[in-house]
C-alpha cells in the first residue's frame, strides 16, 4: 500500500485549493481577490504542515508495524528515538529501570504523535530547509533538486497573518494570479516528491528488516 493514504490526502487538499483558485479567478472584485489570495496561501501552508505530519506518522507506524529493532534503524533515526526516550526518563530512577527492561523492538513502538509532544520539530516554521533538516533527523535524505525556495515566503506570509501583523487585504496584493498558480503547482510537486522519498525509505526499512529475519 505504501503511503497511499498520504497521497490521497495530498490529492484531496489540492482539490480544495483548486476550488479556491476557481473562486478567485471568477471573482472580478479586486478587494475580494486580494483577500482570497491570502486565504489560498494559508491553505497552501496548512497543506505543507499536514502532509509533513502525515509522512512522519506513517514512518513511525511502519516501524512499529514491522516490529523493527531500534539497533537496526539507520543511525540518525536511532538518535531521534533515543532522544525521545531520554526525554521521557528524565531524572527518575524508576523510569530508568523501565527503560533498561525494554526490548529493542519495544523502544520503537512509539507514534509520531508521542514524539511530537516532547520533541517540537516544527510549529508554523516549515519551509524546504526545515523539512530537509527534520527529514535528516529521521534518516531521510531528500533530493537537493526538489527544494522550493518560495516556501519560505509562504511560511512568512502565513505567520504574519496568524499573528495579525498584516491584513488579509494586503498580504498578497502584489502577487499575480499566474504567480499564485505557479506557486501552487510547485508546492504540489514538491510535496509529492517528499512523500515518494519517505515511501522509498519505509520500503528500504522493511526490506532490510525482512532480510535480517531470514
Amino acid at each position: 500500500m505504501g503511503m497511499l493514504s498520504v497521497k490521497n490526502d495530498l490529492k484531496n487538499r489540492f482539490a480544495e485549493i483548486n476550488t479556491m483558485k476557481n473562486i478567485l479567478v471568477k471573482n472580478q472584485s479586486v478587494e475580494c481577490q486580494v483577500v482570497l489570495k491570502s486565504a489560498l496561501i494559508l491553505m497552501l501552508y496548512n497543506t505543507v504542515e499536514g502532509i509533513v505530519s502525515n509522512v512522519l506518522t506513517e514512518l513511525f507506524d511502519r516501524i512499529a508495524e514491522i516490529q523493527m529493532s531500534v539497533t537496526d534503524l539507520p543511525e540518525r533515526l536511532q538518535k531521534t528515538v533515543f532522544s525521545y526516550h531520554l526525554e521521557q526518563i528524565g531524572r527518575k530512577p524508576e523510569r530508568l529501570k523501565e527503560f533498561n527492561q525494554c526490548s529493542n523492538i519495544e523502544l520503537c513502538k512509539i507514534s509520531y504523535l508521542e514524539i511530537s509532544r516532547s520533541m517540537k520539530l516544527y510549529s508554523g516554521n516549515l519551509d524546504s530547509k526545515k523539512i530537509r533538516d527534520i527529514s535528516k533527523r529521521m534518516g531521510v535524505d531528500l533530493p537537493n533538486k526538489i527544494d522550493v525556495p518560495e516556501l519560505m515566503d509562504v511560511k512568512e506570509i502565513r505567520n504574519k497573518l496568524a499573528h495579525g501583523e498584516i491584513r488579509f487585504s494586503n498580504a498578497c496584493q502584489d502577487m499575480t494570479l499566474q504567480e499564485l498558480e505557479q506557486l501552487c503547482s510547485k508546492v504540489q510537486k514538491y510535496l509529492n516528491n517528499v512523500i515518494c522519498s519517505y515511501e522509498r525509505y519505509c520500503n528500504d526499512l522493511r526490506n532490510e528488516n525482512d532480510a535480517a529475519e531470514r
Side-chain angles (χ1 to χ4, degrees), residues 23-37:
I23 294 172
L24 178 57
V25 170
K26 291 176 182 178
N27 199 309
Q28 299 301 310
S29 166
V30 175
E31 291 81 4
C32 288
Q33 279 195 350
V34 290
V35 171
L36 290 172
K37 287 177 185 177

Side-chain angles (χ1 to χ4, degrees), residues 67-171:
Q67 299 187 339
M68 205 160 181
S69 169
V70 69
T71 53
D72 291 332
L73 295 176
E75 187 176 349
R76 283 175 290 174
L77 185 51
Q78 281 188 45
K79 288 181 179 178
T80 299
V81 171
F82 281 129
S83 294
Y84 163 77
H85 285 294
L86 289 172
E87 184 81 19
Q88 300 304 303
I89 292 168
R91 296 179 179 274
K92 300 175 182 178
E94 65 275 11
R95 295 303 303 275
L96 180 59
K97 183 178 180 181
E98 291 174 14
F99 179 78
N100 287 333
Q101 292 173 341
C102 285
S103 70
N104 281 336
I105 291 177
E106 287 175 330
L107 293 177
C108 285
K109 290 183 178 179
I110 49 177
S111 67
Y112 171 65
L113 179 60
E114 291 175 274
I115 284 184
S116 63
R117 283 172 177 164
S118 60
M119 299 172 67
K120 299 297 181 184
L121 295 175
Y122 62 88
S123 178
N125 64 349
L126 281 183
D127 54 27
S128 291
K129 182 179 183 304
K130 186 66 176 179
I131 294 170
R132 182 175 297 282
D133 291 343
I134 293 168
S135 298
K136 281 183 178 179
R137 292 185 65 175
M138 303 301 157
V140 181
D141 292 311
L142 299 177
N144 291 322
K145 62 182 180 181
I146 73 170
D147 284 359
V148 177
E150 294 92 338
L151 267 183
M152 181 176 290
D153 297 327
V154 173
K155 175 193 71 175
E156 290 178 352
I157 292 172
R158 178 267 182 194
N159 287 342
K160 287 179 179 179
L161 286 170
H163 299 144
E165 296 176 24
I166 52 177
R167 300 198 311 273
F168 275 72
S169 58
N170 58 26

Side-chain angles (χ1 to χ4, degrees), residues 18-65:
N18 287 334
T19 298
M20 177 63 85
K21 283 193 297 184
N22 290 334
I23 294 172
L24 178 57
V25 170
K26 291 176 182 178
N27 199 309
Q28 299 301 310
S29 166
V30 175
E31 291 81 4
C32 288
Q33 279 195 350
V34 290
V35 171
L36 290 172
K37 287 177 185 177
S38 296
L40 188 55
I41 289 294
L42 274 181
M43 292 177 71
L44 204 56
Y45 181 81
N46 287 345
T47 294
V48 172
E49 276 212 359
I51 295 302
V52 169
S53 177
N54 284 348
V55 294
L56 292 172
T57 297
E58 281 287 325
L59 170 61
F60 283 95
D61 286 353
R62 195 73 59 84
I63 291 169
E65 175 193 328

